[in-house]
Amino acid sequence: MAKEISSVTDPRAMITEGCRLPVKMYNCDEWPLAEILNIKRDTEDGIASFYVHYVAYNKRLDEWVADARLDYDKMQMPSAVKAREKGADAKSLNGSRPPSPEMKPATPRPPAPPRIEKVPIVEKIKTEIKVESQDSQESNQPPTPRQTGSMSTHHPDDVVTRMKNITMIELGKYRLKPWYFSPYPQEMTNIPVVYLCEFCLKYVKSSKCLERHLVKCPLKHPPGNEIYRKQSISFFEVDGRKNKIYSQNLCLLAKLFLDHKTLYYDTDPFLFYVMTECDDRGFHVVGYFSKEKESTEDYNVACILTLPPFQRKGFGRLLIEFSYELSKFEGKTGSPEKPLSDLGLLSYRSYWSHTILEILVDMKPSENGERPQITINEISELTSIKKEDVISTLQYLNLINYYKGQYVIVLTKEVLESHMRAMQKRKLRIDPKCLHWTAKDWSKRGKW
Ligand code: ACO
Ligand code: ZN
């Protein structure tokens, strides 16, 4: 029922976008501080719902809440929030933003902040959202960019792109709740479920439309070349220029779960490595990473994603391992494009740590019994992990010691034991023998 508004000083009457107050989080008893991003009032009964962002948490936990979940007694007006932030800025030594402390908890409660010191995390960069409409491409019409909202360039904190716009998607046998905004066309945003063809990733408005599409859709796997297969896992290399609609649809799908950096909807300069799991119905997408055909900064991954139903099962690691196998084949070292998300950083840290430790553990003492020796460059060449990432990982693991005038790596019992335990758990690995691929030198080609 709508609460009565008694006077203008009643916080209920004063609440606006930008106010901050404690809000009860979904499914738990925590009341973290949240910012009001949007207010929707039912025109008939005046009942309001509020779109909130929990200040210390990742945006994927943002949600619509009812009035009863707001603690108005502790409400700060936007002016007070600004004044407080100004004060905090002045106090901070370098004025830079603190690293994001958020992670997605299994149950929404305050998570332990990931340790992210020493790895360069770059500030958010401009979100460029430019995508051709799926239908206009299909009918060979010239692309007609949408005139409103999400098709144009947005500032990352734009009101439109700050809010999730898709309620649910259906992909194969899964229904997925998006984490972030994605620039699907307007007509997809006000419906309960967007239906995707799990093979070509075309999006439609109803299950009936999807049924009709499935009858004529020729695909049972991503387009492009299957360059890896071991047991049920395959990788397909998709060229962003040759398979533009698929690549754009993949970007739109990925954007639902990726928030922290630019997604390029001009897909021409990218290759997409799509990982699938095969059964008797086809090759089902599990995750992917994109890679620039030419990177001046030695990036070997632009964006990486494991779809939520497959997360925390080792697939992210497998994608990362695959990206480094490609770099090995190219005879290069590489690094993921920055900034990394919280989950991206955790996954890369874990991959780098285990890969470097594997090399150190396997080193044998020399014949005259001297301690084995290895340089940072050698570790980098053996693994294709960029030198800076090798150094930051050794520092993160606290393995470098200064001893008798030189740097030595000391492997402690605890580090070794936790590494061995992790190795035993790890079932999925890339088998380089199953990769059938030759690196192209894109700089020598006239056109991507
Ligand atoms: N909480 C704590 N640890 C986690 C979590 C989590 N939610 N997710 C992954 N990890 C850790 C795992 O414990 C594991 O470490 P371990 O092997 O030492 O135990 C490591 O990260 C990798 O786990 P996987 O199961 O292999 O990874 P997953 O399949 O879940 O994929 C990924 C990781 C790709 C980052 C996934 O979380 C994702 O798609 N997130 C959304 C998109 C995103 O943030 N992508 C990265 C952006 S950065 C970039 O694009 C360059
Ligand atoms: Zn299809």
mmCIF file of all heavy atoms in Angstrom, residues 18 33 47 54 83 99 113 133 189 196 236 241 246 257 278 307 330 348 362 422 435 441:
data_model
loop_
_atom_site.group_PDB
_atom_site.id
_atom_site.type_symbol
_atom_site.label_atom_id
_atom_site.label_comp_id
_atom_site.label_asym_id
_atom_site.label_seq_id
_atom_site.Cartn_x
_atom_site.Cartn_y
_atom_site.Cartn_z
ATOM 1 N N GLY A 18 19.996 9.838 -6.919
ATOM 2 C CA GLY A 18 21.242 10.373 -6.337
ATOM 3 C C GLY A 18 21.249 10.314 -4.820
ATOM 4 O O GLY A 18 22.299 10.440 -4.203
ATOM 5 N N LEU A 33 24.713 0.438 2.143
ATOM 6 C CA LEU A 33 24.392 1.749 1.583
ATOM 7 C C LEU A 33 24.178 1.614 0.075
ATOM 8 O O LEU A 33 24.963 0.969 -0.623
ATOM 9 C CB LEU A 33 25.558 2.718 1.852
ATOM 10 C CG LEU A 33 25.300 4.167 1.479
ATOM 11 C CD1 LEU A 33 24.252 4.780 2.410
ATOM 12 C CD2 LEU A 33 26.590 4.984 1.532
ATOM 13 N N ILE A 47 2.366 3.981 -5.962
ATOM 14 C CA ILE A 47 3.411 3.173 -5.312
ATOM 15 C C ILE A 47 4.700 3.272 -6.134
ATOM 16 O O ILE A 47 4.680 3.140 -7.362
ATOM 17 C CB ILE A 47 2.962 1.702 -5.174
ATOM 18 C CG1 ILE A 47 1.770 1.621 -4.225
ATOM 19 C CG2 ILE A 47 4.106 0.827 -4.672
ATOM 20 C CD1 ILE A 47 1.229 0.242 -4.018
ATOM 21 N N TYR A 54 24.146 -0.755 -5.017
ATOM 22 C CA TYR A 54 24.807 -0.887 -3.714
ATOM 23 C C TYR A 54 26.228 -0.358 -3.856
ATOM 24 O O TYR A 54 27.029 -0.896 -4.635
ATOM 25 C CB TYR A 54 24.799 -2.352 -3.270
ATOM 26 C CG TYR A 54 23.388 -2.882 -3.097
ATOM 27 C CD1 TYR A 54 22.785 -3.658 -4.087
ATOM 28 C CD2 TYR A 54 22.645 -2.564 -1.969
ATOM 29 C CE1 TYR A 54 21.482 -4.113 -3.955
ATOM 30 C CE2 TYR A 54 21.331 -3.011 -1.823
ATOM 31 C CZ TYR A 54 20.761 -3.782 -2.814
ATOM 32 O OH TYR A 54 19.472 -4.218 -2.676
ATOM 33 N N ALA A 83 29.087 16.522 -1.301
ATOM 34 C CA ALA A 83 29.978 17.223 -0.368
ATOM 35 C C ALA A 83 30.908 16.230 0.303
ATOM 36 O O ALA A 83 32.109 16.457 0.438
ATOM 37 C CB ALA A 83 29.145 17.962 0.674
ATOM 38 N N PRO A 99 40.348 1.100 -5.704
ATOM 39 C CA PRO A 99 40.016 -0.051 -6.536
ATOM 40 C C PRO A 99 38.680 -0.629 -6.119
ATOM 41 O O PRO A 99 38.324 -0.580 -4.946
ATOM 42 C CB PRO A 99 41.144 -1.044 -6.239
ATOM 43 C CG PRO A 99 41.772 -0.575 -4.975
ATOM 44 C CD PRO A 99 41.503 0.894 -4.869
ATOM 45 N N PRO A 113 37.158 -8.527 -0.215
ATOM 46 C CA PRO A 113 37.673 -7.805 -1.384
ATOM 47 C C PRO A 113 38.813 -8.557 -2.035
ATOM 48 O O PRO A 113 39.687 -9.064 -1.336
ATOM 49 C CB PRO A 113 38.167 -6.469 -0.793
ATOM 50 C CG PRO A 113 38.108 -6.606 0.681
ATOM 51 C CD PRO A 113 37.393 -7.850 1.039
ATOM 52 N N SER A 133 21.690 -2.919 -36.901
ATOM 53 C CA SER A 133 20.559 -3.737 -36.505
ATOM 54 C C SER A 133 20.617 -5.075 -37.219
ATOM 55 O O SER A 133 20.977 -5.170 -38.380
ATOM 56 C CB SER A 133 19.258 -2.995 -36.784
ATOM 57 O OG SER A 133 18.491 -3.739 -37.680
ATOM 58 N N THR A 189 13.547 -4.545 -24.965
ATOM 59 C CA THR A 189 13.792 -4.156 -23.575
ATOM 60 C C THR A 189 12.562 -4.182 -22.673
ATOM 61 O O THR A 189 12.698 -4.215 -21.483
ATOM 62 C CB THR A 189 14.423 -2.747 -23.498
ATOM 63 O OG1 THR A 189 13.512 -1.827 -24.092
ATOM 64 C CG2 THR A 189 15.746 -2.688 -24.209
ATOM 65 N N LEU A 196 17.007 -16.291 -27.685
ATOM 66 C CA LEU A 196 18.158 -16.318 -28.588
ATOM 67 C C LEU A 196 18.290 -17.689 -29.224
ATOM 68 O O LEU A 196 18.107 -18.713 -28.546
ATOM 69 C CB LEU A 196 19.451 -16.029 -27.814
ATOM 70 C CG LEU A 196 19.914 -14.576 -27.751
ATOM 71 C CD1 LEU A 196 18.956 -13.745 -26.911
ATOM 72 C CD2 LEU A 196 21.303 -14.502 -27.156
ATOM 73 N N PHE A 236 35.939 -22.583 -32.012
ATOM 74 C CA PHE A 236 35.722 -22.090 -33.371
ATOM 75 C C PHE A 236 36.333 -20.706 -33.496
ATOM 76 O O PHE A 236 36.137 -19.869 -32.606
ATOM 77 C CB PHE A 236 34.218 -22.018 -33.689
ATOM 78 C CG PHE A 236 33.578 -23.375 -33.807
ATOM 79 C CD1 PHE A 236 33.206 -24.084 -32.668
ATOM 80 C CD2 PHE A 236 33.375 -23.962 -35.056
ATOM 81 C CE1 PHE A 236 32.623 -25.349 -32.777
ATOM 82 C CE2 PHE A 236 32.797 -25.219 -35.171
ATOM 83 C CZ PHE A 236 32.420 -25.915 -34.029
ATOM 84 N N ARG A 241 34.926 -9.798 -39.428
ATOM 85 C CA ARG A 241 34.547 -9.163 -40.701
ATOM 86 C C ARG A 241 33.702 -10.108 -41.538
ATOM 87 O O ARG A 241 32.674 -9.737 -42.087
ATOM 88 C CB ARG A 241 35.795 -8.744 -41.483
ATOM 89 C CG ARG A 241 35.473 -7.977 -42.767
ATOM 90 C CD ARG A 241 36.731 -7.593 -43.519
ATOM 91 N NE ARG A 241 37.446 -8.747 -44.027
ATOM 92 C CZ ARG A 241 37.158 -9.389 -45.150
ATOM 93 N NH1 ARG A 241 36.143 -8.997 -45.903
ATOM 94 N NH2 ARG A 241 37.873 -10.431 -45.525
ATOM 95 N N TYR A 246 26.890 -12.568 -36.718
ATOM 96 C CA TYR A 246 27.142 -13.460 -35.587
ATOM 97 C C TYR A 246 27.999 -12.741 -34.540
ATOM 98 O O TYR A 246 27.700 -12.774 -33.343
ATOM 99 C CB TYR A 246 27.849 -14.741 -36.062
ATOM 100 C CG TYR A 246 28.151 -15.675 -34.907
ATOM 101 C CD1 TYR A 246 27.204 -16.591 -34.473
ATOM 102 C CD2 TYR A 246 29.370 -15.600 -34.218
ATOM 103 C CE1 TYR A 246 27.457 -17.430 -33.393
ATOM 104 C CE2 TYR A 246 29.633 -16.428 -33.138
ATOM 105 C CZ TYR A 246 28.667 -17.339 -32.730
ATOM 106 O OH TYR A 246 28.920 -18.147 -31.657
ATOM 107 N N PHE A 257 26.945 -9.440 -19.576
ATOM 108 C CA PHE A 257 27.716 -9.940 -18.434
ATOM 109 C C PHE A 257 29.076 -9.257 -18.282
ATOM 110 O O PHE A 257 29.879 -9.648 -17.451
ATOM 111 C CB PHE A 257 27.884 -11.468 -18.563
ATOM 112 C CG PHE A 257 26.566 -12.157 -18.733
ATOM 113 C CD1 PHE A 257 26.148 -12.605 -19.984
ATOM 114 C CD2 PHE A 257 25.708 -12.299 -17.650
ATOM 115 C CE1 PHE A 257 24.904 -13.197 -20.152
ATOM 116 C CE2 PHE A 257 24.465 -12.889 -17.806
ATOM 117 C CZ PHE A 257 24.057 -13.343 -19.058
ATOM 118 N N CYS A 278 29.922 -30.158 -26.981
ATOM 119 C CA CYS A 278 29.136 -30.834 -28.016
ATOM 120 C C CYS A 278 28.280 -31.954 -27.438
ATOM 121 O O CYS A 278 28.715 -32.675 -26.533
ATOM 122 C CB CYS A 278 30.147 -31.383 -29.031
ATOM 123 S SG CYS A 278 29.425 -32.385 -30.274
ATOM 124 N N LEU A 307 29.763 -18.051 -19.938
ATOM 125 C CA LEU A 307 28.345 -17.795 -19.665
ATOM 126 C C LEU A 307 28.009 -18.293 -18.250
ATOM 127 O O LEU A 307 28.526 -19.334 -17.810
ATOM 128 C CB LEU A 307 27.471 -18.495 -20.714
ATOM 129 C CG LEU A 307 27.508 -17.833 -22.092
ATOM 130 C CD1 LEU A 307 26.867 -18.727 -23.144
ATOM 131 C CD2 LEU A 307 26.810 -16.465 -22.064
ATOM 132 N N GLU A 330 52.116 -18.346 -32.030
ATOM 133 C CA GLU A 330 52.537 -17.135 -32.734
ATOM 134 C C GLU A 330 53.973 -16.753 -32.383
ATOM 135 O O GLU A 330 54.537 -15.834 -32.982
ATOM 136 C CB GLU A 330 51.633 -15.940 -32.344
ATOM 137 C CG GLU A 330 50.223 -16.032 -32.877
ATOM 138 C CD GLU A 330 49.322 -14.929 -32.303
ATOM 139 O OE1 GLU A 330 49.454 -14.601 -31.116
ATOM 140 O OE2 GLU A 330 48.482 -14.414 -33.039
ATOM 141 N N TYR A 348 42.719 -14.477 -13.982
ATOM 142 C CA TYR A 348 44.074 -14.340 -14.524
ATOM 143 C C TYR A 348 45.124 -14.576 -13.435
ATOM 144 O O TYR A 348 46.128 -15.242 -13.661
ATOM 145 C CB TYR A 348 44.265 -12.974 -15.200
ATOM 146 C CG TYR A 348 43.909 -13.052 -16.672
ATOM 147 C CD1 TYR A 348 42.657 -12.690 -17.123
ATOM 148 C CD2 TYR A 348 44.819 -13.550 -17.605
ATOM 149 C CE1 TYR A 348 42.318 -12.797 -18.466
ATOM 150 C CE2 TYR A 348 44.484 -13.659 -18.950
ATOM 151 C CZ TYR A 348 43.241 -13.283 -19.372
ATOM 152 O OH TYR A 348 42.919 -13.411 -20.697
ATOM 153 N N ASP A 362 58.848 -27.783 -11.515
ATOM 154 C CA ASP A 362 59.460 -28.794 -12.393
ATOM 155 C C ASP A 362 60.960 -28.598 -12.588
ATOM 156 O O ASP A 362 61.618 -29.450 -13.175
ATOM 157 C CB ASP A 362 58.787 -28.763 -13.783
ATOM 158 C CG ASP A 362 57.417 -29.419 -13.726
ATOM 159 O OD1 ASP A 362 57.124 -30.049 -12.690
ATOM 160 O OD2 ASP A 362 56.647 -29.286 -14.693
ATOM 161 N N ALA A 422 45.543 -27.456 -5.943
ATOM 162 C CA ALA A 422 44.811 -26.867 -7.080
ATOM 163 C C ALA A 422 45.031 -27.697 -8.339
ATOM 164 O O ALA A 422 44.105 -27.902 -9.133
ATOM 165 C CB ALA A 422 45.268 -25.423 -7.300
ATOM 166 N N LEU A 435 45.191 -28.675 -31.366
ATOM 167 C CA LEU A 435 44.998 -27.354 -31.989
ATOM 168 C C LEU A 435 45.502 -27.405 -33.430
ATOM 169 O O LEU A 435 46.667 -27.725 -33.674
ATOM 170 C CB LEU A 435 45.764 -26.286 -31.182
ATOM 171 C CG LEU A 435 45.799 -24.861 -31.745
ATOM 172 C CD1 LEU A 435 44.388 -24.277 -31.867
ATOM 173 C CD2 LEU A 435 46.650 -23.950 -30.845
ATOM 174 N N ASP A 441 49.633 -13.439 -40.358
ATOM 175 C CA ASP A 441 50.256 -12.141 -40.091
ATOM 176 C C ASP A 441 49.354 -11.062 -40.694
ATOM 177 O O ASP A 441 49.416 -10.775 -41.883
ATOM 178 C CB ASP A 441 51.668 -12.092 -40.692
ATOM 179 C CG ASP A 441 52.386 -10.798 -40.322
ATOM 180 O OD1 ASP A 441 51.722 -9.897 -39.752
ATOM 181 O OD2 ASP A 441 53.585 -10.690 -40.599
#
